[in-house]
Each structure stands twice: as structure tokens, then as C-alpha cells.
Amino acid sequence: MFAPFDESKARQVCQKMMEDLEREGCAWTGMFGALVCLDQAGNEVVLRAFSGSYDGKWNRPGWAPPLFDEEKYNAAILPNDKKIHELSAVPPNESPEQKAARDKERLVLCNQTLEKIYSLYRFCCADKKWRTFSDISNAKLLPTGTGDCSAPKLLSEAFSKDLLPVSLAEFYWGKPNTRLVPKTFYPPCDEKCALILPAILGLEIVYRDQNILVVNKPSGLLSVPGRGEDKQDCVVTRAQRLFPKMIKQPSVHRLDMDTSGLMVLAFDEASHRALNAQFENRQVKKNYIALLDGVVKEESGRVELKHRVDLENRPRQILDEVYGKLAVTEWTRLRVWTRRGADGKEHKATSVLFEPHTGRTHQLRVAAAYALGAPIVGDNLYGKEEERLLLHASELVFTHPATGQEMRFESQPAFQF
């Protein structure tokens, strides 16, 4: 995954760590990391961490602790540990049937132990709330070692101590393998860290530099603050919590609360103006993936509709050739298939790629419901309510406001399409 914070200061700390490890003759193999933070007085604080257990020890003085209580962890392992080791030994003259039965029994016991272990993990997030794996995932079993990498330990420790992360870097130490080179820096891993870091940070950071921030917004989160205390949690406030120097109004576009996908924000006023001009002049390419409730027979098309807000039923839009604003959308059918809905029944559905050329309120919802005759699944305004709206901003292309380079980002939706 993309490194959520600048790496430069932390790399300097890591270089010193490598020198110390070299001098000490460290033979352990794993990842080490450093997080440079600021305390409430603006003083620099450095945190260090290692992945997993360092030479068999989870807790070491001067290092960020694991995300669980070690005594409870050991207690969770103990009941099945002896039997698992017995089942791991290969007996002589074992038949294929006996091996399959032994492997099956061992797997059941290992999974039981893993479930107990995963229930012990607690991590402090950017909003100062403590969460567990069950708060962020419905999966019973996550990849082994999830939560044991350096980055989750470092960030949880920082937020629990009310520190502001500034720079984060990790490096591999030990014997080379097929994926990792000793003394080489790597970003947080996709296999494990990508599952937990967005929950700790409050945002999935797709890209970041000194001018812009690109995030993958989850469904159910506002893009910008609304009216009232209950509508302050949004992409903007979460981004500003992580990056306090970000300007007060960094957003140049927004996604509906129920829509997931890519958003770009600006760190500074000049970048905001440049990006805003691109959106206003329709120089930004945006693609969305949607799942429609029903069958769309045509392969592609262009929708041009004039619509406005229904004053008696806000925020629903209605078609109005006189007072409505023109919304232009191109679309391509991806496939027609049968899905199982929230009601447990099978329904025909059409996967569609939308490319809007204007930015009207509910533009894609209206195009699907009124022009294509198949509302987006989960659209409680123009179709049937379900768990969530199955609409995802999957591609975003724009010109970098400072360098002039084309920036292209893609994101796959969490739902099947």
C-alpha cells in the first residue's frame, strides 16, 4: 500500500537503527520501523517497532508494544498448542487417508486458536477510539500476522499517547528471501497492513505528496462537513486530523455519502485553485462502476437529462426541461448477471461503467433510474433500499497542480460487479 506519511525523517532514524543492529550483530530476520511524531508542545518524539516477536519476545523496553496483552495471548495459545505440535509430526507408514484426517484436525485446532488470538487485538485510532478486528472486518480469520507489522504498532502507540505522526519508514533486516532485500525500505504491506491501517488512520490513503492527497472514500462517510455536530465526521475532517497544516477547505469535488471511491484534496491554496479550475472546466476524467437493479439491453450510450431538486422531497431530483440543469453521462455495459439480493432472492443485475461529463447532484442515480430504466442497487431514492448504494468512483485522472504531470488513479469497488 502507499506510505501514508512522508518517509524522509523516519529514514534517517532507521539508518541509525541499522548501524546499531550491525554493531550488535543482530541475527534476527524481520521488519523494523520508525515513526517520527510531534507532541502537543511541538517537540519531536521518535517511536520504534519491530514486526512480530523480536528473538521470541513480543515486548522489549524502548519499542512499541504489540496490539494485545501478552499474558492473554499466551493463555489463548496454550489449550491447543500441545495437540497441534503432535499433529504436525509425520508418523511412519502414514496412509494418504490418515494424512488428510491429521491435516484436517490440525487445521481446525489452528483456526480455533487464531480466532481466540484475533479477539485480543486492540488498536488506538486517529480519533482516539480503541477498536478491535471485529469492528473493522466481518472475516473470522484474517491473514496470519495481521496487526503484527511495525506500522500498526507504531501508529496505535502514537495515537494512544496523543502524538501527531509526521514521518514513517520501515526496512527489512536479516536473511534475503524471494520478496525482500536486507537493509531495503518498504511501504506498509498490502497483505496485512492494508486491512488495518485505513481503520487506524480513518482514511485509505491512495497517494500523498506536499500538494495533494488522494483517498479511497468508504460508503457511508460524508465527503465534507454537514450542518450540525453529528455531521462533522467526514473525509475532510479526518484528513485535517492527520495533516493539520492542510488548508481549511481542501476539497475540490465530493462524492455522495453512500458512494465510495476516489477523491482528491489539496494541501495548499494554489493547488486548490488549480484543481478547482480543472473540475470547473471539465478537464478531469472520472469513471464510476455501478451495479444496476435489472437488465440493460443496450451495450452503451449517452444520457442527456435536465433535472433539478424536488422542492417537496429533497434531496430527490426530478426531470424538468425548463428549470433543470443539463446532466451528460456516457455509459458502457460491462455484463448482465444474476446476483443474490439482501432479501436472499436471485435478481438480474447489470454492471455498468459510467463516465459523467457534468457534475450534477445525483447525476448517475438519475441516469440509471430514468434513462436506463434500472436504478442503482441500494438507491433508496430512485430504487430499492439495500445495505449500501453499489456505486463506486473507480477512476480519477487529472493534471498535478504543481508538476503538470498527468495523475491517474484506479480503485476497485468492495462489491461484486
Side-chain angles (χ1 to χ4, degrees):
M1 62 178 291
F2 189 81
F5 299 99
D6 179 78
E7 295 179 283
S8 54
K9 282 192 173 185
R11 283 195 176 209
Q12 294 176 19
V13 176
C14 288
Q15 292 290 356
K16 179 63 168 58
M17 290 170 62
M18 289 186 205
E19 294 173 8
D20 293 340
L21 292 169
E22 191 81 59
R23 186 175 59 255
E24 295 165 5
C26 177
W28 180 76
T29 294
M31 297 292 295
F32 286 97
L35 180 64
V36 180
C37 309
L38 296 178
D39 64 16
Q40 293 301 300
N43 300 310
E44 202 169 87
V45 178
V46 175
L47 302 177
R48 301 184 304 163
F50 49 82
S51 61
S53 60
Y54 181 7
D55 276 347
K57 294 183 179 180
W58 289 102
N59 286 281
R60 282 178 173 265
W63 299 84
L67 302 183
F68 52 79
D69 181 281
E70 190 173 3
E71 288 188 8
K72 293 180 179 178
Y73 180 93
N74 292 333
I77 292 176
L78 193 59
N80 293 338
D81 190 53
K82 182 179 179 181
K83 186 63 176 177
I84 289 173
H85 277 85
E86 290 175 355
L87 291 168
S88 298
V90 180
N93 303 319
E94 183 181 41
S95 69
E97 293 78 13
Q98 289 172 324
K99 181 181 183 305
R102 177 171 57 83
D103 289 344
K104 182 178 180 180
E105 184 180 358
R106 182 179 181 277
L107 180 62
V108 169
L109 293 175
C110 286
N111 287 345
Q112 287 177 356
T113 299
L114 285 174
E115 283 190 44
K116 290 179 182 178
I117 289 173
Y118 288 145
S119 68
L120 301 176
Y121 283 69
R122 295 176 67 250
F123 38 92
C124 187
C125 302
D127 58 4
K128 305 302 185 291
K129 293 181 180 179
W130 288 84
R131 291 183 171 85
T132 65
F133 284 144
S134 62
D135 293 327
I136 66 171
S137 174
N138 293 324
K140 283 188 176 182
L141 293 175
L142 298 168
T144 303
T146 301
D148 295 337
C149 297
S150 297
K153 291 182 180 181
L154 288 166
L155 290 167
S156 180
E157 180 74 352
F159 293 134
S160 70
K161 294 182 179 299
D162 208 19
L163 300 173
L164 176 67
V166 173
S167 181
L168 171 67
E170 297 176 82
F171 65 92
Y172 177 69
W173 182 266
K175 298 177 181 179
N177 60 37
T178 56
R179 295 188 306 114
L180 303 173
V181 179
K183 300 182 182 180
T184 301
F185 289 94
Y186 293 94
C189 65
D190 290 325
E191 299 87 351
K192 304 165 189 176
C193 290
L195 300 175
I196 183 174
L197 287 193
I200 294 178
L201 297 171
L203 287 174
E204 181 184 343
I205 296 174
V206 177
Y207 177 82
R208 165 211 43 78
D209 61 29
Q210 62 181 357
N211 303 109
I212 62 172
L213 175 70
V214 179
V215 302
N216 194 23
K217 187 186 88 67
S219 175
L221 179 67
L222 289 168
S223 293
V224 299
R227 294 181 180 178
E229 286 297 319
D230 62 327
K231 292 182 175 62
Q232 295 308 296
D233 183 30
C234 61
V235 169
V236 167
T237 55
R238 292 188 183 188
Q240 290 171 332
R241 184 167 56 215
L242 294 175
F243 307 102
K245 292 185 179 180
M246 176 177 273
I247 56 176
K248 187 176 181 180
Q249 296 181 344
S251 61
V252 291
H253 70 126
R254 64 185 67 180
L255 300 176
D256 288 346
M257 183 175 75
D258 296 328
T259 303
S260 58
L262 297 167
M263 275 186 66
V264 59
L265 297 88
F267 276 111
D268 57 274
E269 294 289 356
S271 298
H272 186 272
R273 286 193 297 271
L275 287 171
N276 197 52
Q278 291 184 51
F279 276 89
E280 286 186 352
N281 296 327
R282 301 180 186 177
Q283 296 170 329
V284 176
K285 180 180 179 180
K286 297 175 289 181
N287 280 335
Y288 294 74
I289 290 173
L291 188 60
L292 309 191
D293 186 13
V295 176
V296 177
K297 295 182 179 180
E298 296 80 10
E299 292 187 359
S300 62
R302 180 182 176 95
V303 175
E304 296 186 5
L305 293 174
K306 288 185 176 180
H307 56 85
R308 63 168 176 84
V309 68
D310 184 349
L311 298 177
E312 297 180 356
N313 190 19
R314 294 177 182 269
R316 184 184 174 89
Q317 300 284 304
I318 56 174
L319 302 183
D320 189 329
E321 283 293 326
V322 178
Y323 299 105
K325 291 183 178 180
L326 180 64
V328 180
T329 305
E330 291 190 33
W331 61 273
T332 302
R333 188 183 68 189
L334 301 177
R335 67 165 177 150
V336 176
W337 55 294
T338 301
R339 63 180 291 270
R340 190 171 297 278
D343 57 4
K345 299 179 181 178
E346 291 188 341
H347 300 269
K348 285 291 185 180
T350 304
S351 302
V352 170
L353 180 69
F354 282 121
E355 183 179 355
H357 294 289
T358 51
R360 307 303 180 203
T361 301
H362 293 177
Q363 177 171 327
L364 303 183
R365 297 192 192 196
V366 170
Y370 292 149
L372 302 185
I376 299 174
V377 174
D379 191 340
N380 61 345
L381 290 175
Y382 309 97
K384 301 173 184 177
E385 188 169 357
E386 207 164 309
E387 290 182 2
R388 62 154 290 190
L389 180 74
L390 300 190
L391 176 63
H392 181 80
S394 59
E395 185 178 15
L396 183 62
V397 185
F398 58 89
T399 301
H400 193 284
T403 67
Q405 289 183 313
E406 181 184 84
M407 307 297 289
R408 180 182 297 271
F409 301 97
E410 295 182 357
S411 167
Q412 293 297 307
F415 55 83
Q416 187 180 6
F417 69 95

